[in-house]
Amino acid sequence: MVGAEELLECHKTIAPHIHRTPVLTSRLLNQMVGASLYFKCENFQRMGAFKMRGAIQAIMQLPEEKRAKGVVTHSSGNFAQALSLAAQSLGVKAYIVMPRTATAVKKRAVIGYGGEVYDCDPNLQARESLSKEIEEKTGATFIHPSNDMNVILGNSTAATELLQDYPDLEVILCPVGGGGLVAGTALSAHFFGKNCRVIGAEPMKADDAYRSFHSGKIESNETADTVADGLRTMLGDINFPIIRKYVSAIERVEEDDIVPAMRLIWERLKITAEPSCAVPFAAALQLKEELRGKKVGIIISGGNVDLENLPF
Amino acid sequence: MVGAEELLECHKTIAPHIHRTPVLTSRLLNQMVGASLYFKCENFQRMGAFKMRGAIQAIMQLPEEKRAKGVVTHSSGNFAQALSLAAQSLGVKAYIVMPRTATAVKKRAVIGYGGEVYDCDPNLQARESLSKEIEEKTGATFIHPSNDMNVILGNSTAATELLQDYPDLEVILCPVGGGGLVAGTALSAHFFGKNCRVIGAEPMKADDAYRSFHSGKIESNETADTVADGLRTMLGDINFPIIRKYVSAIERVEEDDIVPAMRLIWERLKITAEPSCAVPFAAALQLKEELRGKKVGIIISGGNVDLENLPF
């Protein structure tokens, strides 16, 4: 298992390639929760999401001869853009497998960051087999969006920075999708916090992490019909043991509470944040009793929204 | 006329009551304009707009016996909220005259900040006579939203901070509505910049400042049907001489260029900004040739938008 040194080393490695994102606060949101909230704004990260951190770290750990052959991933979301931009920044080729059904906007964004898009049928098997094929054909290294130790390490640096700025945080709330962010956050809180608990927040409609956390084995989602589209994915065998060991709890929020929480973030923090970001804040509103009077970090994971299709 | 000392003194006076707002940058927006752009984000200011600066300064300059009787203004926009919150923060009563037609959302915001709302007919004469009546009845001091030397001084502090952070700015672009922000910005640029030019940006559909600047007398708008609702007002006899003396040019932008510029700000800076804020950025896109290679400050004046009625 990794320790504090590896986490600090990772932060040092990726720091020149990422933004140190700001932390925002709001008196009104504090009043609503009855706690002091510190929002770590990864929507201001390069390409608009924390995923940039893990993508940079994963590529930088590859030896030169592997970098020369490029990287491949499958993602319809922010990791597709993150790996493309990270690869471009480091002079590496990126092959991105995306479901045929991904919006043109998303594909254009990936191409804009220099990624080479490969369409596949919209199911996990098709994604995986096409990725495999590209790996074999090109020699590119596959990098999983969330179930990869270097991706987890990279993601951990958001909480590392947050705890450098606010060492006394008692809780950090963080969204749970594929598990890569919450695992990294929990590692940072464990090594750099002072008894700082990490609570993962998840939509009730894609509560695989909650069920996995309680059953002790990785559960999947039958359906994942949530507005928090970044959180529809499930945990992996690399991040799950970290989550079991270092995460304190998984809090689930109802669909109807996500959009109002998102709206408060937009109106009060004056930032554009994805629906997924609203999930930990919705959890904070729900956990008022537990959080009362505490210093609470909240990770705003990304800000890539389609302004034509806002939920309000 | 005021000098550098008064501007610095004002900043010192109001600093404990305002946020020092961050400056954001974007590689893509820089590429689009071909210049280095520094966005001073007053959308993150208390109550969501630069107006807080002038409101605090105006109230703090009142002697105790005047403060005890309160302040009054007429505004349907951000100054109504700013004066309410500034007054509340300083333990002063605020009477706010608002047109009957102002939205319920805006009235609620004013009331939320402790302002006492008085409805009037939606025309300037009705606003002024009701304000006068309240002044006489209560002894409250009238504070104009933009044509008041203390308001101008307070507003100047946004550019003062921007120039403290980036002393080499060659141009600052700033929206022009009632003239209080551009006048303050021009004073700061004159005293603290190194040959830093200030260019006011205005919607073509409410181009009173452009016409006033060129005719040498205060012109009015026949109509002011622009999406940039913060910029529909006209200049005043206190700010106009400052604008004539210290502003380099007024640039007008077409209505059709405002919303796309706003969209770029939202998508790329990941912030919520009012349509009025998009006007100076639209002007920057239009002034590419002139700005090429330069360091350019842009004042993002506020972020109070109605998410139910976005123009995209």
Side-chain angles (χ1 to χ4, degrees), chain A residues 35-103:
Chain A
S36 298
L37 307 179
Y38 300 90
F39 294 89
K40 175 69 170 170
C41 291
E42 288 294 298
N43 59 315
F44 293 133
Q45 189 50 265
R46 287 182 70 197
M47 62 58 59
F50 77 90
K51 299 268 185 190
M52 189 64 186
R53 297 175 181 268
I56 285 279
Q57 167 72 4
I59 298 176
M60 290 196 79
Q61 295 313 308
L62 296 178
E64 201 44 62
E65 67 275 18
K66 285 203 159 186
R67 282 203 215 184
K69 293 188 173 162
V71 289
V72 54
T73 196
H74 53 71
S75 160
S76 59
N78 281 326
F79 195 72
Q81 295 180 46
L83 196 69
S84 300
L85 181 59
Q88 187 184 57
S89 302
L90 299 169
V92 170
K93 205 162 168 51
Y95 305 94
I96 311 291
V97 174
M98 295 184 87
R100 218 178 295 289
T101 49
T103 61

Side-chain angles (χ1 to χ4, degrees), chain A residues 105 229 241:
Chain A
V105 175
D229 56 350

Side-chain angles (χ1 to χ4, degrees), chain B residues 26 44 76 82 86 136 170 177 221 256 284 291 299 307:
Chain B
S26 156
F44 294 133
S76 59
E136 284 163 7
E170 295 161 270
N221 294 308
D256 285 352
L291 301 179
I299 314 261
L307 294 178

